[in-house]
């Protein structure tokens, strides 16, 4: 049996796809997998902020088109790039075990946000990271920083380099370039991660029962429950890339999760936070409850 798998061409995307294939072959040794690399609109346009050109969905568009036309059977994504509401006919079928979901300060000069001097320059193109940084350190100068991980790291060594940039720990670790001398994870209390951060997602056509049965076998349920509690928050607000929104769930024992949420406006003038706890199988209900409470605070 041949499974055709669409993925972006970046080094991280290929590594993540290889992890999915390895997992598939562990369960189904007879399966053959064909990688179909795709250059997405988000990969091609690197000189503009995502929120000005269509958001993170631009990293999925071409992959999802190949799914819908039947050119491929599965598509692999970083779950943090997947909008809450998917195109009709597609669904997330499984996730792999979550990597470190935290954000990370990367700097060759300083070891923490507190060490950054007044007026320090920090690079990020994430609205979520930008408004949280402004809340913590309103003196910082935030500049756009796009491109793949290595491209953004290279900017730290370039002329007029920023003092620091913010990246996801999970990507650095999967690439094998997490350096404890220059990479400093931020606690989830300091900076709530993006929903699904650190998680690899497998997308399929909703009517493909064969792929549903296969994906069910490799789905990492503990991570799946966490992702449900995070992503339903996105679904509720159907937020755009201009909306600062965050959701992070974690286990406090084997069956109970604690979920932190944030929602705000583009300027960061109004940020609302809420934390909920509940049974792991009730992630969607937890997220909806938190969203309703936050929405009530807005008015």
């Amino acid at each position: 049996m041949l499974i055709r798998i669409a993925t972006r061409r970046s080094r991280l995307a290929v590594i993540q796809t290889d992890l999915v294939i390895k997992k598939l072959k562990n369960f189904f040794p007879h399966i053959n997998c064909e990688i179909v690399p795709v250059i997405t609109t988000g990969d091609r346009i690197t000189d503009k902020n995502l929120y000005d050109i269509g958001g993170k969905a631009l990293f999925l568009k071409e992959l999802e088109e190949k799914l819908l036309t039947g050119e491929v059977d599965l598509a692999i994504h970083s779950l943090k790039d997947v909008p809450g509401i998917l195109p009709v006919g597609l669904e997330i079928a499984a996730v792999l075990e979550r990597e470190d979901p935290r954000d990370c300060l990367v700097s060759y000069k300083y070891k923490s946000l507190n060490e950054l001097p007044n007026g320090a320059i920090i690079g990020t193109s994430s609205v979520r990271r930008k408004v949280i940084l402004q809340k913590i350190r309103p003196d910082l100068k935030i500049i756009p920083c796009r491109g793949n991980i290595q491209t953004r790291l290279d900017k730290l060594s370039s002329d007029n380099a920023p003092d620091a940039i913010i990246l996801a720990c999970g990507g650095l670790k999967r690439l094998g370039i997490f350096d404890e001398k220059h990479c400093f994870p931020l606690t989830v209390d300091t900076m709530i991660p993006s929903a699904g951060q650190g998680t690899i997602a497998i997308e399929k056509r909703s009517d493909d029962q064969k792929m549903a049965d296969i994906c069910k076998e490799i789905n990492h349920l503990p991570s799946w429950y966490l992702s449900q509690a995070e992503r339903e928050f996105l679904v509720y607000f159907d937020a755009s890339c201009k909306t600062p929104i965050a959701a992070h769930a974690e286990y406090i024992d084997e069956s109970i999760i604690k979920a932190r949420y944030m929602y705000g406006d583009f300027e960061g003038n109004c940020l609302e936070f809420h934390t909920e706890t509940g049974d792991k199988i009730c992630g969607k209900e937890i997220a909806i409850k938190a969203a309703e409470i936050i929405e009530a605070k807005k008015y």
Side-chain angles (χ1 to χ4, degrees):
M1 178 182 178
L2 176 66
I3 299 179
R4 299 158 301 170
I5 304 175
T7 179
R8 292 166 61 194
R9 289 177 179 265
S10 74
R11 184 177 167 219
L12 178 58
V14 172
I15 286 173
Q16 294 185 159
T17 301
D18 285 342
L19 289 172
V20 172
I21 291 174
K22 182 179 179 180
K23 185 68 69 173
L24 284 169
K25 286 187 171 292
N26 283 343
F27 281 85
F28 306 99
H30 62 286
I31 282 178
N32 292 313
C33 297
E34 176 188 346
I35 296 178
V36 180
V38 179
I39 298 177
T40 68
T41 303
D43 294 317
R44 287 196 297 268
I45 304 175
T46 60
D47 59 344
K48 298 179 181 178
N49 284 316
L50 283 175
Y51 50 74
D52 288 329
I53 58 173
K56 290 183 178 181
L58 293 179
F59 289 125
L60 283 71
K61 181 175 178 287
E62 285 80 1
L63 279 71
E64 292 182 328
E65 287 174 351
K66 288 187 177 296
L67 264 179
L68 289 168
T69 59
E71 293 179 64
V72 299
D73 306 296
L74 300 173
I76 310 304
H77 311 294
S78 294
L79 189 57
K80 69 180 179 62
D81 293 336
V82 181
I85 298 176
L86 298 175
V88 174
L90 299 179
E91 64 184 15
I92 300 300
V95 298
L96 297 194
E97 183 174 2
R98 186 171 73 175
E99 194 25 293
D100 189 336
R102 295 174 295 176
D103 287 298
C104 183
L105 178 81
V106 185
S107 176
Y108 297 147
K109 305 175 185 177
Y110 308 103
K111 296 182 179 180
S112 70
L113 287 175
N114 289 335
E115 278 194 18
L116 291 171
N118 189 67
I121 299 172
I122 191 163
T124 179
S125 292
S126 161
V127 177
R128 171 186 61 87
R129 290 168 177 161
K130 179 175 179 285
V131 299
I132 293 176
L133 286 170
Q134 289 174 334
K135 181 178 178 64
I136 300 170
R137 289 285 306 273
D139 61 289
L140 295 177
K141 181 180 179 182
I142 314 297
I143 63 170
C145 185
R146 279 207 58 210
N148 62 39
I149 290 177
Q150 191 58 56
T151 298
R152 283 179 278 173
L153 287 172
D154 289 344
K155 292 179 181 179
L156 283 175
S157 303
S158 64
D159 294 336
N160 302 314
D163 296 292
I165 60 175
I166 305 291
L167 297 173
C169 284
L172 291 166
K173 291 184 176 182
R174 287 200 178 104
L175 285 168
I177 57 175
F178 183 90
D179 177 3
E180 292 183 355
K181 293 182 179 179
H182 303 116
C183 300
F184 309 100
L186 303 171
T187 68
V188 295
D189 286 321
T190 299
M191 184 171 285
I192 304 176
S194 178
Q197 190 156 296
T199 302
I200 298 170
I202 305 168
E203 188 178 24
K204 71 171 188 68
R205 289 183 295 278
S206 303
D207 62 359
D208 192 334
Q209 188 57 48
K210 183 178 292 185
M211 287 301 107
D213 294 340
I214 288 173
C215 289
K216 182 179 179 180
E217 293 299 319
I218 68 170
N219 189 29
H220 188 258
L221 275 176
S223 298
W224 178 264
Y225 292 135
L226 296 178
S227 71
Q228 296 296 294
E230 295 169 2
R231 285 184 50 74
E232 193 65 25
F233 192 69
L234 299 185
V235 173
Y236 184 94
F237 285 110
D238 190 18
S240 73
C241 204
K242 288 190 175 183
T243 306
I245 189 167
H248 172 74
E250 61 186 341
Y251 288 95
I252 56 178
D253 64 27
E254 290 185 358
S255 61
I256 303 299
I257 59 175
K258 175 182 179 180
R260 298 172 175 85
Y261 300 98
M262 182 199 79
Y263 184 87
D265 62 353
F266 181 69
E267 292 77 20
N269 295 325
C270 179
L271 293 181
E272 298 292 349
F273 298 83
H274 186 72
T275 299
E276 281 288 332
T277 59
D279 193 285
K280 65 183 181 182
I281 65 173
C282 299
K284 289 187 176 183
E285 291 81 1
I286 290 170
I288 291 171
K289 180 180 178 181
E292 290 174 342
I293 290 171
I294 284 179
E295 188 170 47
K297 290 180 181 179
K298 292 164 53 185
Y299 298 105

